[in-house]
Amino acid sequence: MTDAEHQGIVELHNRLRRSVLPEAANMNQLIASATLRNLAQQAADTCRFEHNYGGDYSGLGENLYMGGSNASLAVMLWFIERENYRLSASGTLCGLEYGNGRYPQYASSCGHYYQVVQASVREVGCGKKACSGSSLIVCEYNSGSGSPPYTAGPSCSGCSSARPRCLDGLCVPVGTSGSTCSLACKSCTKLVGNATGSCDCSGSYVPCTKCDSDATQCLNNGTDVGASLTNCSCVCPTDFYGDRCQYNRAQFASALQLRFGGELRSRSYFPVPKSFWPSLWRALEPPLLTAIADFCRWNFATCCPSASVFNSSDGGSGGNASILASSDLRLAASGINVSATGELTVSLVAPDSATTVFCGNGSEGSASGFAKFLSSPALIANLTAKRKS
């Protein structure tokens, strides 16, 4: 296995570890270990498809694969056991305990998956050997696996003191380039010791408590009532909801929601990440705006109930055509979310201010009417029909 191939395997492990659902609060980033890599290669060189115990392998975790020479495929086949696994508030279920898994054609075990996503593991090393027409691929991990393999919660909200920093959803040591502090001060307003996320409550600062992470702080004037110093519990104002009071009730009630992911079998281990949205929007914005404008051209009273004149100043002629402006749609606050099935949901709303060009004179009533129209069943049905065609 070349150095480049080995590093690719390490990076694949990390991509899969940060993609678990539900999210992991305490998932460590894996780094390559020369020692583990040598042990893995020694195991592969034997061409024996059996686990190694004792001696240098004592206390280690190990995954084995016999088949093709593509090590990335081997890692994915270990991870695919996610389909036979469920993490819930009452515990974990795997294989036969979980109705023989969701897909009987897959192995009913979860052990390989547990090892790939074991939160406490910090190092990995892999090797492979061609053995009588097949390849034996071995990965060694600095510790074994258990159930549950990680603690569910917002990414990095449960990082240990040994790895208090956060990088792309994984817990990393102090000094890791590009990492951020995973802790946040709640009651006191001064965050110090950014490497460890400690709170300074000296002088005029009030007694200090902390949330697990920035991701669990209360928003929109929500009040934290959590009794524990390691957990936030938000009481939200009437107009907001969500575990962080991040959702505006009125805004989401009138939002146009776009969903990406659907009923793909592999959605649970290939969730659509939030980072995909900018590139998706660049491709979708022109046809979506045009489709909405086309519908409104023939249903103007529905689209703009408070406007009396159809506006064609943005390119239309005589009310027969119009193109919605980019400013007529925007992303809702906290409007990008990934569901428990890996589906990406994006909520689009009309501007808060009455600046919509589409509905004519830009009066308050015009903008308000258009905002409510975005969630109308008629528009949803029309856009759904266009997507299927």
Side-chain angles (χ1 to χ4, degrees):
M1 183 179 296
T2 66
D3 290 345
E5 185 179 5
H6 189 266
Q7 186 56 36
I9 295 303
V10 176
E11 292 173 358
L12 176 59
H13 272 82
N14 283 325
R15 286 200 299 273
L16 296 175
R17 287 164 71 84
R18 68 169 58 95
S19 73
V20 294
L21 291 168
E23 286 184 294
N26 60 333
M27 188 71 73
N28 285 325
Q29 181 191 59
L30 294 189
I31 61 173
S33 164
T35 299
L36 294 177
R37 184 178 178 183
N38 288 335
L39 289 174
Q41 190 59 56
Q42 291 174 29
D45 288 342
T46 68
C47 286
R48 295 197 306 267
F49 188 57
E50 56 187 52
H51 284 293
N52 298 275
Y53 302 97
D56 291 336
Y57 296 91
S58 180
L60 300 182
E62 184 179 68
N63 271 343
L64 306 175
Y65 168 81
M66 180 70 84
S69 62
N70 188 330
S72 294
L73 176 60
V75 177
M76 289 305 307
L77 289 173
W78 296 333
F79 189 76
I80 208 173
E81 291 177 5
R82 163 65 176 81
E83 294 303 315
N84 292 322
Y85 171 77
R86 183 178 69 188
L87 175 63
S88 66
S90 59
T92 60
L93 295 175
C94 176
L96 295 175
E97 298 173 310
Y98 189 18
N100 201 26
R102 275 193 265 177
Y103 304 110
Q105 66 267 37
Y106 298 150
S108 60
S109 67
C110 297
H112 299 98
Y113 171 75
Y114 282 174
Q115 188 63 71
V116 171
V117 301
Q118 187 68 33
S120 59
V121 172
R122 303 182 307 276
E123 298 176 342
V124 63
C126 303
K128 70 176 179 179
K129 177 72 173 182
C131 304
S132 302
S134 297
S135 290
L136 177 59
I137 297 172
V138 182
C139 282
E140 301 289 342
Y141 306 83
N142 73 291
S143 66
S145 62
S147 176
Y150 63 86
T151 300
S155 297
C156 293
S157 63
C159 292
S160 68
S161 58
R163 290 193 165 205
R165 305 281 292 177
C166 185
L167 181 64
D168 294 334
L170 300 177
C171 302
V172 296
V174 173
T176 302
S177 177
S179 63
T180 59
C181 180
S182 63
L183 304 179
C185 297
K186 266 195 321 190
S187 297
C188 60
T189 58
K190 186 178 181 181
L191 178 66
V192 299
N194 196 38
T196 60
S198 59
C199 297
D200 176 13
C201 297
S202 60
S204 61
Y205 295 109
V206 297
C208 188
T209 59
K210 66 177 179 61
C211 291
D212 272 330
S213 72
D214 296 324
T216 53
Q217 286 185 303
C218 303
L219 303 175
N220 297 308
N221 296 317
T223 304
D224 170 44
V225 294
S228 170
L229 300 186
T230 60
N231 184 47
C232 266
S233 178
C234 300
V235 174
C236 304
T238 304
D239 295 337
F240 295 89
Y241 69 100
D243 57 352
R244 300 167 54 215
C245 308
Q246 67 268 44
Y247 303 124
N248 183 309
R249 291 185 184 279
Q251 193 177 77
F252 274 82
S254 60
L256 171 63
Q257 293 192 335
L258 308 179
R259 293 183 172 87
F260 306 90
E263 295 300 319
L264 295 177
R265 173 176 293 178
S266 60
R267 68 184 184 276
S268 64
Y269 53 89
F270 276 133
V272 183
K274 296 179 182 179
S275 59
F276 276 22
W277 172 242
S279 57
L280 285 171
W281 183 234
R282 283 194 295 270
L284 287 174
E285 182 182 25
L288 177 63
L289 294 178
T290 299
I292 295 175
D294 285 346
F295 178 82
C296 289
R297 186 171 61 232
W298 306 107
N299 301 274
F300 182 63
T302 301
C303 296
C304 306
S306 301
S308 58
V309 179
F310 185 82
N311 179 48
S312 60
S313 62
D314 51 355
S317 175
N320 294 320
S322 185
I323 300 174
L324 217 59
S326 296
S327 59
D328 291 330
L329 288 180
R330 68 173 180 82
L331 188 66
S334 300
I336 304 179
N337 296 279
V338 178
S339 71
T341 62
E343 180 182 71
L344 176 68
T345 301
V346 179
S347 300
L348 299 174
V349 296
D352 289 334
S353 59
T355 58
T356 178
V357 175
F358 187 68
C359 286
N361 59 15
S363 67
E364 184 66 33
S366 299
S368 175
F370 181 67
K372 293 178 181 179
F373 154 74
L374 286 177
S375 61
S376 69
L379 175 63
I380 302 302
N382 183 267
L383 295 178
T384 301
K386 286 182 178 293
R387 178 183 65 83
K388 291 181 178 179
S389 62

